[in-house]
Amino acid sequence: GHIWKLQSLLRQGMAVDVRSKDSGGSTALLLAACYGKIETIDFLVKQGASPHVVDDKGQNAILLASWCYQTKTVRHLLTEYQ
């Protein structure tokens, strides 16, 4: 959710891999979906992250957002990326 930190790192020329996964297969985009961070999701997609990525359990951003009761995020993902 700290989009300003990501933007700052990129402006400084830092290499930021927006597609990297943690030990459970989660990406920054999947976490942003669960926390309802629509601006961060859009930023990550513009930087090359896939809105269709799934974690090691096969869970995608729409599913995670819905499980986390992020209805606006679910609506946004369906409208913008489906």
Side-chain angles (χ1 to χ4, degrees), residues 5-80:
K5 287 183 183 178
L6 286 171
Q7 292 169 333
S8 176
L9 289 172
L10 290 170
R11 273 195 301 273
Q12 293 173 29
M14 298 282 225
V16 177
D17 184 0
V18 296
R19 295 174 299 245
S20 66
K21 294 186 174 191
D22 67 12
S23 61
S26 288
T27 64
L29 188 135
L30 294 175
L31 294 172
C34 191
Y35 287 104
K37 303 297 184 180
I38 294 171
E39 184 180 1
T40 302
I41 292 168
D42 292 341
F43 177 78
L44 290 167
V45 169
K46 287 178 185 172
Q47 297 301 314
S50 171
H52 307 290
V53 68
V54 295
D55 65 13
D56 291 351
K57 295 178 184 175
Q59 303 166 139
N60 65 18
I62 294 170
L63 181 61
L64 290 171
S66 66
W67 280 353
C68 296
Y69 305 101
Q70 302 295 340
T71 55
K72 288 180 183 177
T73 303
V74 171
R75 193 174 308 115
H76 180 75
L77 289 164
L78 288 170
T79 302
E80 296 297 321

